[in-house]
């Protein structure tokens, strides 16, 4: 008998513990405590959606009011109660993603018809309803517009009045995804250095090209088994990486740029022997001895439209050699230009640039330099109202181009990343010294 109070105590403790655990789980409290304020808001909205789900879906006719009795109902001689669709929901910094299912007589059309009511009930900015496969529905409930707000880069965190690099130098792999930004549904836009091929970044002046390229340069600098080469006549893009890049030049002479390109091409072609050894047609594993070479050229027209035609031609030959030969040996080329028209970039080189990012441009023609299919797309980057960092991207294995917003990695933050790389022993040359 003396054990009874102890048992009751234990039961109430267990019951209390379970209730606390269930509440914490329901509101995703551990997650919410660490999350940023946008994700926290979405987690609470997800809890509210779950609470009202049965009632709201029934009220909007998205459940089945009078289901046909099943065998058990018939055996027990009872009328089954109204049924509501099932629900799985996840939250992120832009909103809530709901997975649910169709019911008999309630399909995609019925959900789309009610989407305005759902948007009001859930106080969402926008709802997008899609059907990934028969019987299933996805509801993307956006609490804010991903294209409207600044999206901070995860590579750095604000620290006092400066920046702190959040990634340990050398901890990234060439196949890790690069987070370029977020599309207009708030989904990450990613590709990897090694998995992707060559790319092109374009946009009018002050449209966000350099900030976009900062992400590429930072990831290439922080990734092991990657050698980064930067060719930048203005030095603006290259300056933070001057100490850490494998090769770097700020010369505006096309011959100097061509020499750097050819040197990297020669190095890569040294990998030819590997093809015989490993019986492959493409280098796909990168090591310290056989690294991935990433070459970034800013202000491309400076070299391809140089007043000295002969120099421009020599540069164009070096560019074509790299663009057409290097990918299989482990080379990746990224070109940056305001307007990469036919006078700046030959069709043969362009055909090798499959990753494309276009920020704000002035004309539809400029947009079509990157996206020849531009006229049939439901959006364009030839829109003077686009804020810096917002554009159209087709990278990695994306099936179609998307509107997106780049993550914001300010150039000052790049200096902090380069400091972290130097502190970890990755310094190759002094600031301001020759390439
Ligand atoms: N993703 C972004 N998010 C927020 N602001 C951005 C973003 N990208 C660019 N900006 C803002 O726009 C300014 C210009 O961007 P950036 O220097 O990248 O332009 P650019 O296209 O390289 O211009 P230029 O042709 O003159 O070199 C930046 O200083 C920054 O304030
Ligand atoms: Mg720039």
């Amino acid at each position: 008998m003396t054990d009874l109070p102890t048992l009751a105590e234990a039961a109430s403790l267990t019951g209390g513990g379970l209730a606390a655990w269930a509440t914490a789980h329901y509101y995703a409290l551990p997650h919410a405590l660490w999350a940023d304020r946008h994700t926290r808001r979405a987690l609470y909205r997800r809890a509210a959606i779950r609470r009202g789900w049965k009632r709201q879906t029934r009220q909007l006719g998205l459940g089945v009011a009078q289901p046909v009795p099943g065998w058990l109902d018939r055996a027990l001689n009872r009328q089954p109660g109204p049924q509501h669709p099932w629900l799985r929901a996840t939250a992120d910094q832009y909103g809530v993603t709901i997975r649910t299912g169709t019911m008999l007589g309630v399909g995609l059309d019925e959900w789309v018809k009610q989407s305005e009511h759902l948007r009001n009930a859930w106080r969402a900015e926008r709802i997008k309803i899609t059907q990934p496969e028969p019987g299933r529905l996805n509801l993307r409930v956006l609490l804010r517009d991903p294209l409207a707000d600044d999206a901070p880069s995860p590579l750095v965190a604000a620290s006092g009045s400066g920046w702190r690099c959040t990634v340990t130098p050398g901890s990234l792999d060439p196949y890790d995804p690069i987070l370029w930004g977020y599309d207009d549904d708030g989904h990450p836009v990613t590709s990897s250095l090694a998995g992707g091929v060559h790319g092109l970044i374009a946009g009018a002046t002050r449209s966000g090209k350099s900030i976009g390229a900062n992400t590429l340069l930072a990831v290439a600098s922080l990734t092991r088994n990657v050698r980064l080469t930067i060719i930048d006549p203005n030095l603006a893009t290259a300056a933070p990486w001057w100490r850490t890049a494998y090769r770097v030049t700020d010369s505006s002479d096309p011959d100097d740029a061509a020499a750097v390109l050819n040197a990297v091409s020669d190095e890569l072609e040294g990998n030819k022997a590997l093809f015989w050894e490993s019986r492959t047609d493409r280098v796909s594993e990168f090591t310290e001895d056989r690294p991935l070479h990433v070459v970034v050229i800013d202000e491309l027209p400076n070299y391809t439209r140089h007043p000295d035609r002969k120099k421009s031609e020599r540069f164009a030959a070096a560019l074509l050699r790299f663009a057409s030969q290097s990918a299989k040996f482990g080379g990746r080329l990224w070109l940056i230009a305001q307007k990469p028209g036919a006078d700046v970039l030959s069709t043969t080189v362009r055909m090798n640039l499959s990753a494309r990012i276009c920020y704000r441009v002035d004309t539809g023609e400029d947009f079509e330099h990157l996206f020849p299919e531009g006229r049939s797309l439901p959006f364009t980057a030839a829109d003077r109202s686009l804020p810096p960092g917002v554009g159209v991207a087709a990278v990695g294995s994306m099936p179609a181009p998307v509107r997106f917003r780049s993550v914001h990695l300010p150039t000052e933050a790049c200096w902090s990343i380069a400091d972290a790389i130097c502190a970890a022993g990755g310094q190759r040359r002094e600031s301001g010294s020759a390439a």
Side-chain angles (χ1 to χ4, degrees):
M1 290 308 275
T2 46
D3 279 347
L4 259 180
T6 339
L7 275 176
E9 264 170 37
S12 82
L13 270 178
T14 320
L18 275 175
W21 178 83
T23 314
H25 183 72
Y26 189 75
Y27 287 98
L29 282 183
H31 191 159
L33 282 178
W34 297 112
D36 61 283
R37 69 189 167 91
H38 295 297
T39 311
R40 203 174 308 133
R41 186 168 147 236
L43 282 165
Y44 292 146
R45 195 63 56 86
R46 178 181 74 158
I49 292 174
R50 280 176 172 171
R51 274 200 307 275
W53 181 254
K54 265 191 195 173
R55 183 173 39 84
Q56 285 161 349
T57 49
R58 275 191 214 150
Q59 273 173 2
L60 293 174
L62 299 171
V64 177
Q66 286 189 320
V68 178
W71 65 268
L72 189 60
D73 302 307
R74 285 199 302 273
L76 297 173
N77 197 18
R78 65 175 187 198
Q79 175 60 37
Q83 288 174 352
H84 56 85
W86 56 270
L87 165 70
R88 300 266 178 292
T90 51
D92 57 62
Q93 55 169 324
Y94 292 110
V96 181
T97 301
I98 293 176
R99 271 170 264 282
T100 184
T102 56
M103 298 184 83
L104 206 61
V106 186
L108 179 63
D109 288 350
E110 284 67 28
W111 279 88
V112 170
K113 249 183 246 159
Q114 301 297 353
S115 61
E116 196 53 24
H117 296 300
L118 291 170
R119 192 176 78 79
N120 286 323
W122 297 337
R123 286 182 288 135
E125 166 110 6
R126 187 154 54 83
I127 293 189
K128 182 171 161 187
I129 305 179
T130 49
Q131 182 152 32
E133 55 183 283
R136 302 220 160 205
L137 295 169
N138 279 353
L139 279 67
R140 181 67 175 138
V141 183
L142 286 161
L143 301 183
R144 62 191 177 110
D145 179 2
L147 301 188
D149 287 347
D150 207 278
S153 166
L155 300 176
V156 288
S159 146
S161 57
W163 300 91
R164 178 175 56 81
C165 178
T166 55
V167 178
T168 310
S171 64
L172 300 181
D173 182 86
Y175 284 97
D176 283 345
I178 303 175
L179 175 67
W180 290 101
Y182 293 92
D183 69 13
D184 53 5
D185 289 333
H187 297 307
V189 173
T190 60
S191 69
S192 74
L193 284 175
V197 242
H198 306 316
L200 177 60
I201 301 179
T205 181
R206 312 291 295 159
S207 62
K209 300 184 295 298
S210 295
I211 301 289
N214 280 349
T215 293
L216 171 71
L217 295 164
V219 171
S221 306
L222 287 164
T223 304
R224 62 178 170 271
N225 307 332
V226 168
R227 289 190 184 161
L228 171 65
T229 296
I230 312 176
I231 300 175
D232 174 16
N234 274 349
L235 189 64
T237 306
W241 313 108
W242 191 270
R243 292 169 296 161
T244 59
Y246 177 63
R247 283 202 169 92
V248 54
T249 178
D250 63 344
S251 167
S252 54
D253 185 333
D255 280 341
D256 292 340
V260 171
L261 261 179
N262 282 326
V264 183
S265 289
D266 290 345
E267 237 176 90
L268 281 165
E269 280 168 29
N271 284 344
K272 253 184 194 162
L274 199 77
F275 279 48
W276 294 108
E277 249 173 59
S278 56
R279 303 185 164 192
T280 177
D281 62 349
R282 196 179 165 86
V283 179
S284 56
E285 267 177 47
F286 303 101
T287 61
E288 210 165 315
D289 304 330
R290 283 196 288 258
L292 179 77
H293 278 269
V294 177
V295 176
V296 180
I297 308 181
D298 201 355
E299 308 284 350
L300 183 69
N302 172 82
Y303 303 114
T304 53
R305 297 194 56 204
H306 198 269
D308 186 333
R309 287 272 305 275
K310 286 271 169 268
K311 281 179 185 256
S312 272
E313 279 166 18
R314 285 194 290 271
F315 175 82
L319 188 68
L320 180 59
R321 176 185 173 203
F322 193 94
S324 53
Q325 295 296 318
S326 71
K328 57 179 183 290
F329 298 124
R332 302 288 182 271
L333 177 68
W334 280 85
L335 303 177
I336 307 172
Q338 287 194 10
K339 288 172 185 245
D343 51 341
V344 169
L345 200 56
S346 71
T347 318
T348 13
V349 172
R350 189 190 307 270
M351 271 164 33
N352 285 286
L353 309 171
S354 56
R356 289 155 295 152
I357 297 180
C358 183
Y359 296 104
R360 169 178 46 79
V361 286
D362 294 327
T363 66
E365 204 188 340
D366 293 345
F367 183 54
E368 282 162 34
H369 287 147
L370 279 99
F371 294 97
E373 71 274 42
R375 277 166 211 254
S376 59
L377 291 175
F379 43 71
T380 174
D383 171 356
R384 280 165 204 253
S385 68
L386 282 190
V390 175
V392 176
V395 294
S397 53
M398 282 168 38
V402 292
R403 292 203 309 153
F404 90 122
R405 181 177 194 107
S406 273
V407 288
H408 191 182
L409 181 62
T411 303
E412 305 84 72
C414 293
W415 286 92
S416 305
I417 297 177
D419 286 344
I421 296 171
C422 290
Q427 179 156 7
R428 288 181 181 271
R429 69 184 69 74
E430 291 301 316
S431 316
S433 64

